[in-house]
Amino acid sequence: MAYEIHNNQPPATGAVIDEVKAQPPRPTNDLDTVRLAEWMKDAIDGFAGPLTVLRFAGGQSNPTYQLHTPAQRYVLRRKPAGRLLASAHAVDREFRVMEALGRAGFPVPRAYALCESEAVIGSVFYVMAMVDGRILWDGRLPDATPDERRAIYTAEIDTLAALHRIDPQAIGLADYGRPGNYFARQLKRWTTQYVESSGPRYDTMDRLIAWLPTHLPADRPARIVHGDYRLDNMVLHPTEPRVLAVLDWELSTLGDPIADLTYLLMHWVTPPHERGSLSNLDLEALGIPTLDEMLSRYLTTTGDRLGAPLEWYLAYNLFRFAAILHGVAARGRAGNANNARAGLAQTRVGPLAEAAWRFAQKLGSEA
């Protein structure tokens, strides 16, 4: 099985590709193929070499590889080399959540095996299945008809609702996240990343750091939060508007499901130059649902409700996105990022912070 890249490539505007499969994989020699094949023979039923390793060129976080044998292809995800922030690049958590969700019937790649020893390839890693299908990088879906676009976005929001209907305790993930207010924890995490990562400082980020914690939504029963739920982190059926696999669970945890929902809705309000932005588009002509339509469909399907004004959630997600990119740029300066364009992430931090602050101002914050 394989990830198949179709014509929706990222726009050439300096946008950083945040995860894998932006380009076809290329030959690499940065893994010990012999030692890896020996491990796979013991850990994965049906594995039979010889083994060939390719590396996906895109990716800001966990280095990702395509593994070929005469009869099968796999994907390997590993922690990157170098000094890492605490709790970052948790490939063991990715493996655990995918394994549990796969047993529950949610669309994820099959998780084959986790290696927690660094002796095999120099870092912790796991191996999962490949999945035949489409990864669509451009949210405008230029190759689709209006009806096809609407169907794809409907499948995207319905799959998110299905994820959030799963009871974590019922699938063995009751301890997958920490107790306490989810948004308070997240704000602390991303504030810490922003503060501890090298690079320029932004007055608007400081204002958000002060304002966001004073308007937290009330806590609620936890669900599995993906953390980076968007169109290009899923594999769609080759011809149908159906999600075959949701990818990239590195940021997943237990928490408020509205965080996932509003992270997805953020794409409707991000600055127009951002990859995946749907702002300033004629959505009706394109057949893409509006933000309100996506929100309404999700809330109707799940029976959930917002715990704070929508503007707060959008400000929070834009702040979080800016903090993540600030960390990406810092890793690029330190030489630990996978993508040569990591430094360009820094130019996106300021505009995202300004967009977040505009939503805060709509709720009466001081300029």
Side-chain angles (χ1 to χ4, degrees):
M1 295 184 289
Y3 296 109
E4 183 178 348
I5 308 305
H6 285 243
N7 294 326
N8 294 290
Q9 292 297 320
T13 60
V16 175
I17 306 307
D18 296 292
E19 275 306 325
V20 301
K21 296 166 290 299
Q23 302 174 25
R26 299 174 181 176
T28 182
N29 59 3
D30 59 352
L31 297 184
D32 186 329
T33 304
V34 173
R35 185 170 292 182
L36 176 60
E38 291 174 351
W39 176 86
M40 292 180 69
K41 184 177 180 179
D42 292 335
I44 298 176
D45 289 342
F47 173 80
L51 178 66
T52 301
V53 178
L54 305 175
R55 179 167 176 168
F56 289 106
Q60 280 302 322
S61 190
N62 294 323
T64 305
Y65 303 81
Q66 187 180 103
L67 310 180
H68 287 241
T69 71
Q72 181 65 285
R73 284 179 287 177
Y74 309 86
V75 170
L76 181 150
R77 293 263 282 174
R78 66 179 294 186
K79 285 192 175 187
R83 181 175 177 270
L84 304 175
L85 293 171
S87 78
H89 312 282
V91 295
D92 52 335
R93 287 177 58 82
E94 287 187 49
F95 178 84
R96 181 185 176 192
V97 71
M98 286 197 301
E99 188 178 44
L101 287 170
R103 291 196 306 266
F106 185 80
V108 290
R110 178 181 175 183
Y112 281 110
L114 169 70
C115 180
E116 297 182 277
S117 169
E118 296 183 358
V120 178
I121 64 170
S123 63
V124 176
F125 69 93
Y126 70 89
V127 175
M128 63 181 175
M130 300 290 282
V131 181
D132 283 310
R134 298 172 290 167
I135 295 178
L136 305 177
W137 286 95
D138 189 340
R140 296 165 295 183
L141 304 179
D143 299 326
T145 67
D147 287 344
E148 289 170 339
R149 293 188 188 103
R150 179 166 290 274
I152 288 170
Y153 274 98
T154 297
E156 181 182 31
I157 196 69
D158 288 351
T159 301
L160 184 63
L163 172 65
H164 293 160
R165 289 196 300 269
I166 296 172
D167 180 354
Q169 185 170 354
I171 62 171
L173 293 177
D175 61 345
Y176 192 65
R178 297 178 181 176
N181 187 285
Y182 170 77
F183 285 108
R185 299 197 315 271
Q186 287 291 298
L187 283 171
K188 181 179 179 181
R189 174 180 184 179
W190 298 114
T191 295
T192 299
Q193 169 154 314
Y194 171 73
V195 171
E196 293 185 354
S197 296
S198 65
R201 291 293 180 257
Y202 303 83
D203 290 342
T204 309
M205 290 292 282
D206 292 336
R207 291 199 296 270
L208 289 163
I209 287 169
W211 179 81
L212 285 165
T214 66
H215 295 75
L216 289 173
D219 210 2
R220 66 177 66 210
R223 285 293 183 264
I224 300 163
V225 174
H226 179 275
D228 196 14
Y229 190 85
R230 62 192 190 199
L231 191 62
D232 53 82
N233 270 338
M234 56 187 64
V235 181
L236 275 75
H237 187 277
T239 60
E240 300 174 13
R242 179 159 54 90
V243 178
L244 298 182
V246 178
L247 310 175
D248 186 17
W249 293 86
E250 180 192 348
L251 298 177
S252 63
T253 186
L254 298 187
D256 191 327
I258 301 300
D260 263 353
L261 169 66
T262 50
Y263 175 80
L264 175 60
L265 297 181
M266 180 182 67
H267 291 83
W268 275 253
V269 299
T270 49
H273 66 270
E274 277 291 329
R275 181 175 66 86
S277 176
L278 299 177
S279 62
N280 294 349
L281 298 180
D282 187 343
L283 298 181
E284 182 178 2
L286 290 170
I288 297 174
T290 66
L291 183 154
D292 287 341
E293 288 174 320
M294 294 284 278
L295 174 62
S296 177
R297 186 177 182 94
Y298 173 91
L299 295 179
T300 298
T301 302
T302 61
D304 208 342
R305 59 182 175 80
L306 300 183
L310 179 62
E311 290 83 357
W312 186 91
Y313 292 105
L314 294 174
Y316 156 77
N317 277 293
L318 288 161
F319 163 79
R320 174 179 177 268
F321 192 17
I324 290 172
L325 289 172
H326 189 73
V328 167
R331 292 202 304 276
R333 285 187 289 271
N336 294 335
N338 299 322
N339 194 301
R341 295 185 291 178
L344 295 175
Q346 196 68 67
T347 65
R348 301 164 64 190
V349 174
L352 287 166
E354 293 294 338
W357 187 244
R358 285 193 290 273
F359 282 109
Q361 289 177 310
K362 290 182 180 180
L363 296 179
S365 64
E366 296 181 1

